[in-house]
Amino acid sequence: MTAPEAGRGIGGQDATRFPAQPGGADGAFRILHVSTGNVCRSPITERLTRHFLADRLGDPAGGGLIVESAGTWGHEGAPMESNAEAVLADFGADASGFTGRELLDEHVITADLVLTATRDHRAQVISMGHSAGLRTFTLKEFTRLVKAIDPATLPPLEEGMVERARALVRAAAALRGWLLAPTAEADEVYDPYGAPLPFFRSIGDEIHQALDPVVTALTGVPARA
């Protein structure tokens, strides 16, 4: 099976408000991570994505990708859970300055890629409309699809990260009906809220394993040995 043509994008800026135009009027590629409270899973995923992108590229704001998060029942203005901060520290990622957000229409409208913790979150995002279906996946679903895409079919990095990221999303969407999850649980990242640190760390490891192929596909650079 050949992956279809796809398109480009990175950045680590915080943004309290998005531009009104879908995809961002600033030419950036926006990745939105979604969980429930936006204090555990999606903050970990957001900050690990930024960290791994910066590690691959050597530049925390290079290439035009912006990584953010929100929660379907987001704890607006809340800090991330202390155990989530500890998980990020394990990976050397920055947890500072984070505040929780409730998922709003404008977040979905301007996101080029929405990655959710669970299938329920994915359904909630898609139910908001805004033609979100083709750009909304669970994190593990997107990883499974990305691993099936031949990197040679993506635009080279010389054409820009944004074009490469857009191409990756289009290719993943085209493969979705062909590569189904082996089990209903395979696409879930379970909620560690209220759990002890070892469970948070196991969730952090799951997120890391899911993110690694995605960041490699986006940047064309494998993780350092």
Side-chain angles (χ1 to χ4, degrees), residues 12-93:
Q13 303 98 320
D14 289 300
T16 55
R17 301 289 292 179
F18 294 128
Q21 185 174 339
D26 52 7
F29 182 95
R30 292 178 180 270
I31 301 172
L32 177 66
H33 293 292
V34 175
S35 63
T36 303
N38 194 214
V39 292
C40 298
R41 289 168 291 181
S42 52
I44 291 172
T45 313
E46 173 198 319
R47 294 305 176 93
L48 284 183
T49 302
R50 293 185 185 186
H51 179 69
F52 296 145
L53 286 169
D55 186 61
R56 300 288 211 285
L57 299 173
D59 178 0
L65 273 67
I66 297 174
V67 185
E68 298 164 315
S69 64
T72 55
W73 290 88
H75 299 178
E76 190 73 30
M80 75 173 75
E81 287 287 295
S82 59
N83 281 347
E85 291 185 350
V87 168
L88 291 173
D90 290 343
F91 289 98

Side-chain angles (χ1 to χ4, degrees), residues 12 14 19 22 71 86-87 98 104 114-115 118 137 151 155 157 168-169 172 199 213 219:
D14 289 300
V87 168
F98 181 86
L104 302 176
V114 183
L115 296 176
T118 69
F137 309 80
L157 291 177
L168 188 67
V169 173
F199 186 68
T219 62

Side-chain angles (χ1 to χ4, degrees), residues 1 14 30 73 75 77 85 94 97 108 121 142 166 182 186 193 195:
M1 185 186 310
D14 289 300
R30 292 178 180 270
W73 290 88
H75 299 178
E85 291 185 350
D94 182 15
V108 176
H121 296 132
F142 193 66
R166 289 178 180 157
Y193 186 76

Side-chain angles (χ1 to χ4, degrees), residues 95-111:
S96 65
F98 181 86
T99 55
R101 304 190 307 177
E102 182 177 357
L103 181 67
L104 302 176
D105 288 290
E106 65 193 70
H107 302 149
V108 176
I109 289 169
T110 57

Side-chain angles (χ1 to χ4, degrees), residues 44 82-84 86-88 90-91 190-207:
I44 291 172
S82 59
N83 281 347
V87 168
L88 291 173
D90 290 343
F91 289 98
Y190 291 107
D191 193 354
Y193 186 76
L197 182 56
F199 186 68
F200 266 83
R201 284 187 165 135
S202 71
I203 293 299
D205 288 340
E206 280 186 38
I207 291 171

